[in-house]
Every structure is written in C-alpha cells, then in structure tokens.
Amino acid sequence: MPPMQQADSACGDGNAMATVVINQPGLDKLNVRSGPGGQVVGTVPEGDTVSVVGPCGAISGAAGFAKPKTQQGGGGGGAGGWCQISAPVHGCVSSQFLAFGGNDVGQPSGAAGIVRSKGKHQASVPATATFGGSWSANADNVAYSLSLKQKGNSVSGNYEGADGSAGTISGKMSGNILHFSWVQKDGTRGSGRFVLADDGQSFDGTYNFSNNPDAVEGSWSGTRQ
C-alpha cells in the first residue's frame, strides 16, 4: 500500500475522524467529489462521521464568471482547503464543512460541495424534467440568478451575479447533463457543464475559461426558484 498522505491543520492531524457539519437551513447532505470542484462521486448526510486521510488542495481562480484576478503571493489554505476522506465514501470534501474533535467550524459563506435536501413530498424526476425556468445559483461563493429556456435538447438564457457579472448561456442537453458555453458582457467567455438532479429541482456543475465544457476551473450549484 502507498504511504498515507499526511493531513494539514485544516484536515486534522494525520489520520483523523470528523463530523459533517452544514450550517445552512434546508441542506442536509455533503457532496463528495473526485477532487476540489470535481465530479460528485457520493454524498454523506450531515452528522455522519468520516475518516480523513489527508488534504486534497484548494480551488483557485475567479469567483463566478468574473475575470481571474492576478494572484498575489501564495494562495490556498483556510476555508478554501479540501480534505481527502476514505470512509464512508472515498473522495474530497471542503474542510469548511467538517468539525474535528467537536471543534467549531466557521459559518460557510456558500453551498459549495453541498446537495439540497430532498423534501418528503418530492416525487421521482419526471421524464420531462428540464433546465427551463428560474434558478438561484452559487458559483464559488458568488450568488447568481439564472433564467433559462429549453426547447428540445437546446438550452439558452442569461445570468446575473452579485459581483456585477452578467451574460448569456447556451448549450445542448444529453440525458440530465447540459454542456454549455457562456459569454459575459465584458467579453469574458468560457464553457461548462450542469448536471440536473433526479428530482429536477437542483443542479451541480463546473465552469472554465476555455471551450472545453468538461474542463474544471470552478464549481456551480443551483436550486429551482
């Protein structure tokens, strides 16, 4: 077996146990991802204990769709750190949603890495579930509102961010996955992918500043309004 990766201070000391803590109403599950901002590989309910084996790194880059700011000095650390867990699911989770040894964690400023709790009255996803409608979203801790229309498998619409960014989105849906391109009013552009939840009421996704929608430079999440 390869040697265990040593954890940094944000991920406990060495092999550690932590409790999943989500300080947001209506959210009760933590996404486990293949890497910081990567594909969701599983979920862990709030209050569960996870085995932490080391750090996963940190997401750097722009908030939302704003142009990346020039890095000044060393980055990373703090609430931006991600921890690697080995149980009950193997993957990476944001350290801001973990409490080690009962220590308090800071109030998260966004819902990165979290899935929306399912209401008792929500039915299985209908075959006609689409991205069409109004969405309240979060991209790297910046709030966004999205208005999308879907005709067949084509999706288009616009977005506005709390950071002043605004632009348009257009793409094609295959199954529950939307691959799209985006263009901001200031000329910034890129692409990304949204994955619609089974109940059609939320999505997780990623974005980047290239024309490859599967490239990952930041994360998205959203809920239907």
Side-chain angles (χ1 to χ4, degrees):
M1 289 181 62
M4 278 291 187
Q5 194 176 15
Q6 280 298 107
D8 60 17
S9 59
C11 296
D13 298 323
N15 296 336
M17 305 294 286
T19 302
V20 175
V21 177
I22 305 170
N23 296 328
Q24 290 179 292
L27 299 173
D28 61 6
K29 292 181 182 178
L30 181 69
N31 275 338
V32 180
R33 300 179 181 272
S34 57
Q39 183 179 3
V40 176
V41 296
T43 60
V44 181
E46 182 178 19
D48 271 22
T49 300
V50 297
S51 299
V52 181
V53 296
C56 280
I59 294 180
S60 61
F65 287 143
K67 287 185 177 180
K69 295 180 179 178
T70 303
Q71 292 266 4
Q72 295 181 356
W82 286 59
C83 298
Q84 183 182 29
I85 65 173
S86 61
V89 183
H90 196 283
C92 298
V93 297
S94 178
S95 60
Q96 64 182 325
F97 300 116
L98 296 178
F100 294 89
N103 293 332
D104 292 335
V105 295
Q107 176 78 14
S109 56
I114 300 230
V115 292
R116 195 170 71 89
S117 61
K118 294 183 178 180
K120 295 180 180 179
H121 303 296
Q122 288 179 347
S124 299
V125 61
T128 56
T130 71
F131 274 100
S134 297
W135 298 85
S136 176
N138 185 289
D140 293 342
N141 296 332
V142 175
Y144 283 84
S145 59
L146 283 78
S147 178
L148 302 176
K149 294 181 180 180
Q150 182 166 344
K151 185 175 182 180
N153 67 342
S154 296
V155 178
S156 62
N158 55 69
Y159 63 85
E160 292 185 3
D163 60 356
S165 60
T168 59
I169 286 177
S170 62
K172 299 284 187 182
M173 192 169 176
S174 177
N176 68 330
I177 299 177
L178 170 66
H179 287 99
F180 63 90
S181 60
W182 57 268
V183 181
Q184 203 158 273
K185 288 183 177 179
D186 64 2
T188 310
R189 62 181 59 234
S191 59
R193 68 195 295 265
F194 290 160
V195 180
L196 190 64
D198 288 344
D199 61 7
Q201 299 301 303
S202 62
F203 69 80
D204 274 311
T206 58
Y207 73 90
N208 62 78
F209 295 88
S210 73
N211 58 8
N212 176 9
D214 292 315
V216 177
E217 294 186 42
S219 61
W220 268 91
S221 63
T223 55
R224 193 181 294 277
Q225 290 184 331

